[in-house]
Amino acid sequence: GINAEYGGWCWILPLLLLSIQIVSIEGASGQCSGAKTCSECIRTHFTCKWCKDEEYDASRCQTDINQEMGASECTNWVFPQSEIQADNQDFSPTIQVKPNHIRITDLRPGEERNISITVKSSRNYPLDVYYLMDFSFSMNEDLAKVKELTNNIVDNLRYISSDYQIGFGTFVDKPIAPYAKSDEGDIESPCDTCQAVHLFNNEMSLTSEEGAANILREKLENLQISSNVDNPEGGFEAIVQAAVCSNEIGWRPNSRKVIFFATDAVFHVAGDGKLAGIVEPNTAQCGMENNKYTRALNEDYPSIGQLNDVLIKQQVIPIFAVTADMQTVYRELSSHLTQLSSVGRLSDNSYDVAELIKDQLESIVSSISLNPQAPIGVTVSVMPMCSGHQTEMANGQGCANVTIDEEVDLNIVLKVAECKSEAEDNSFNFKIEVPGITAVPVEIEMVCECPCEKDSDSIVNNSEKCNFSGNLICGACQCHSDSYGKNCECNQTVDKSKDACMNPDTGSICGGDNNGKCICGQCECIQPSRDNYQRWGEFCECSNYECPRNDDNEICSNNGYCFCGECDCNKTTNGSPKLTTDPQFTGKDCGCPVSKAGCIHPETQLECSGPSNGKCVCGACQCEPQHYGKYCDICQDCGPLNCTLYHECVECVYKKYDDGDKDENAWSSCNCPKITKLSTDGTVDTTKLGRHKPCGLPYKDDCEIRFTLHYTDRGTTKQRILDEILIDRDLTCPTEPNIIAIVAGVIGGILAVGILLLILWKIYTTIVDKREYTKFLEERSKAKWNTGLSPLYKEPMTKYTNPLYTAATSRL
């Protein structure tokens, strides 16, 4: 049956959602007050409600949690509240999801409703597995191996569910060039032992008969491999046909439907059919006759989007069993499918196909997720409540590692942003898919109009309350086009007094629609719904909240009264005069204390340690350069730590030491203010000192005398007292450049650059010569030389015959 309210705001929702909801309600309070009609009010925000009492002197549209202060109490509020009805049935082998039907009535625009869906993966749930195999020639060895493994395949299905069905189909590609050979004979018999090229054949419909393995083996024994020309196959179109042809394939209505797709090649997609002159888009409709697909030459290949839509609509889960070199391609495909899918690795000869089917089916059965098919304007967010050993899926839509008979709670947050246009039906119908199991129908009926606006009996046309110039609807006057005002008391054609409501400084009428309304030539200010906020003025230009604020966003720093855009620091936040004992403040935002107590040094009683150190600004000391601290009483280079004060002393002492006078008593004539010493070593070891400051003094030959001021901080004021002056025995002088090293470096650099250039030139000339020589050899090999002799050629030897020799021989 249909139960009453199902869901509501569950205790398991994150606190973040609650905080967002509170902020949303507070922000809506100002929006509600601007609504002029009941329907506009309930559309503005889901917390807005409308008062339809005729005698009501405040803003009729207010938030449910923030009724306007000082308004008369309303007795008739129009405040539609949504209700969730859920159809729950007990879990059974064929019912794994509850609720299995959800209906939401009177949903307000922008309102969020939380619904809990529970899924229980039942044991022996009906399982339909259709084995769709690539029958191109490259899968010849795989076919032989599948024939051997039919018993293993069926046994593994029985291991997953005893209520199973298995079917078998084959695909190759479209029987037309350029996908197959162009001759008709080659299409019918592409090789000596091949069957005809086909896009999809249903070789064995889904069956659960005893001996299904033998039936499958017999079918396979009578089948021969086929062949095509190009590398991609028509597998997508075969999947679509196997999914949509429910009667031919034998899918059961309440079963988990799986297509096991085995191939070693990529796929054709929409647009590839143009190569064969096939331009009609794929309709994704069943085109089977006598278990053969007949529209392969009439329709283009389906797109990935069409494939995804078909799989979702038909509730079919694909398992892509592909070879190692195709893993990346099909994983990318799987990531673009919103339907649940998986990718498994097929060995080169399909030896492990039985185990692969088992592993992939176990993976699918152990994954529970939701796939909302929400229409435009409806937002559905899924929050899986995985528990124990369950883990949240990567897409955040469900839980993995779910065991059989284990329940999984999945929360959904549903919201419709706004109502449709008035001419449209404000209802939505869609499904929340539970991939591989079922789909939960969802019906939403929006409330976008108030009942009192549709009830003709409650509407008073040309009402006396509206001065016969408007209709009384839901307690408020809706004026005719030529009238305006709360009770339609103003006439626009006669009374053109709206100009009197225009602020000459800003050009706005009553400060804008959110601040006031012009009623018969006078501004009627809209009072904010927030407590203690007020607006007034001839043009509604004044308020007690539009004033300068401090960094904490406090009006007048919470130290004064906001009056018409300016802070009055002599008044409290509620506008009453301050007492002489109250803290006094000044500044545009009343952020500066008048009292200088925070600037007085507690020991010296001086303001910021004296005018030379700083001055008191806004109750805090603003220090001069080189001074710092709360009371500007600290100075790094002031007083006893000014290095220049000791230059004369240090130079005198070091000069005596440099001239050979080693007696420290003789240095008293240098008028040093404190004990002055030379370092024991070459330089002063500052690590053994406490507080100290390093100083320097130029000396002869571009050298420098280094000395250190050793001091201590005393008292709470950190007054710095000089204890002694320590001078380095060794002068700090600039080191002379190594001329030989510089010259050698320059010469070495020039030589290195020259050698590098020679090497590059040699490499370049070698490459050019090699190219030229290669070109010469190619041209010589192509040349055809004439083998005839030149007419000017003469043999180097000439043969002469003596005629007398022949005659003498004949006489003998």
Side-chain angles (χ1 to χ4, degrees), residues 353-582:
V353 65
E355 286 299 319
L356 181 60
I357 292 176
K358 176 185 174 183
D359 293 342
Q360 294 298 315
L361 286 175
E362 285 182 335
S363 174
I364 289 174
V365 170
S366 66
S367 299
I368 303 296
S369 64
L370 299 182
N371 187 9
Q373 303 301 306
I376 297 175
V378 180
T379 303
V380 181
S381 303
V382 180
M383 295 189 302
M385 310 303 293
C386 307
S387 60
H389 57 86
Q390 302 171 2
T391 58
E392 185 171 329
M393 298 174 65
N395 61 3
Q397 299 288 96
C399 300
N401 298 327
V402 181
T403 58
I404 298 296
D405 292 333
E406 186 176 25
E407 295 185 6
V408 178
D409 292 324
L410 302 160
N411 280 341
I412 62 171
V413 179
L414 188 148
K415 181 176 74 171
V416 180
E418 58 186 6
C419 292
K420 301 178 184 179
S421 63
E422 294 182 1
E424 295 182 273
D425 178 23
N426 278 287
S427 62
F428 298 89
N429 295 285
F430 61 96
K431 293 182 178 181
I432 298 177
E433 306 285 352
V434 186
I437 299 179
T438 187
V440 180
V442 179
E443 299 177 22
I444 300 176
E445 294 181 5
M446 302 286 294
V447 55
C448 298
E449 291 181 306
C450 298
C452 54
E453 292 176 319
K454 297 183 289 185
D455 184 8
S456 58
D457 293 337
S458 63
I459 298 175
V460 181
N461 294 321
N462 297 317
S463 170
E464 179 180 0
K465 181 177 177 61
C466 303
N467 291 289
F468 305 102
S469 297
N471 303 329
L472 186 63
I473 303 176
C474 296
C477 288
Q478 293 188 13
C479 304
H480 299 326
S481 58
D482 58 346
S483 301
Y484 66 98
K486 182 178 180 180
N487 296 316
C488 306
E489 67 273 17
C490 303
N491 189 288
Q492 296 202 33
T493 58
V494 178
D495 184 6
K496 300 183 180 297
S497 58
K498 273 199 173 183
D499 293 339
C501 297
M502 182 180 293
N503 190 329
D505 296 329
T506 62
S508 64
I509 296 177
C510 299
D513 293 340
N514 293 328
N515 294 333
K517 299 178 181 179
C518 186
I519 307 298
C520 295
Q522 291 185 343
C523 287
E524 184 177 297
C525 300
I526 299 174
Q527 298 303 322
S529 56
R530 187 165 179 176
D531 295 348
N532 302 324
Y533 276 20
Q534 298 177 354
R535 179 167 291 279
W536 69 90
E538 182 182 359
F539 305 107
C540 301
E541 73 278 12
C542 292
S543 72
N544 64 347
Y545 56 89
E546 293 175 326
C547 283
R549 301 177 181 232
N550 61 6
D551 294 339
D552 295 329
N553 200 34
E554 294 176 324
I555 302 172
C556 298
S557 304
N558 210 25
N559 296 323
Y561 177 64
C562 177
F563 183 83
C564 207
E566 295 183 357
C567 291
D568 187 349
C569 302
N570 296 319
K571 293 183 179 180
T572 62
T573 54
N574 59 10
S576 60
K578 286 185 177 180
L579 303 176
T580 55
T581 56
D582 292 334

Side-chain angles (χ1 to χ4, degrees), residues 127 157 172 260 269 328 334 359 445 599-600 792:
L127 174 65
L157 292 184
V172 185
F260 188 84
V269 293
T328 303
S334 180
D359 293 342
E445 294 181 5
C599 299
I600 305 300
L792 300 179

Side-chain angles (χ1 to χ4, degrees), residues 19-64:
S19 63
I20 293 174
Q21 183 76 0
I22 293 173
V23 172
S24 174
I25 292 174
E26 289 181 349
S29 60
Q31 303 175 22
C32 296
S33 60
K36 299 178 181 179
T37 64
C38 185
S39 59
E40 183 182 353
C41 177
I42 64 173
R43 288 182 182 217
T44 299
H45 197 271
F46 63 89
T47 61
C48 296
K49 60 181 181 179
W50 177 268
C51 179
K52 64 178 184 178
D53 286 351
E54 293 186 15
E55 302 298 331
Y56 190 68
D57 55 359
S59 175
R60 290 186 175 274
C61 187
Q62 300 180 21
T63 59
D64 181 43

Side-chain angles (χ1 to χ4, degrees), residues 278-348:
I278 303 174
V279 296
E280 182 179 340
N282 194 284
T283 59
Q285 301 295 321
C286 183
M288 302 289 291
E289 292 183 9
N290 298 322
N291 289 321
K292 296 182 182 294
Y293 179 47
T294 60
R295 295 190 58 79
L297 303 182
N298 301 102
E299 297 180 4
D300 193 5
Y301 299 99
S303 65
I304 294 178
Q306 281 182 299
L307 176 67
N308 185 60
D309 291 343
V310 167
L311 293 174
I312 291 174
K313 183 177 180 180
Q314 302 299 327
Q315 279 287 292
V316 174
I317 300 175
I319 298 176
F320 300 105
V322 296
T323 51
D325 57 330
M326 292 289 107
Q327 288 270 300
T328 303
V329 175
Y330 280 87
R331 288 192 188 281
E332 183 71 16
L333 168 64
S334 180
S335 68
H336 285 81
L337 297 178
T338 56
Q339 172 64 305
L340 179 65
S341 61
S342 66
V343 179
R345 181 176 178 179
L346 195 66
S347 62
D348 294 337

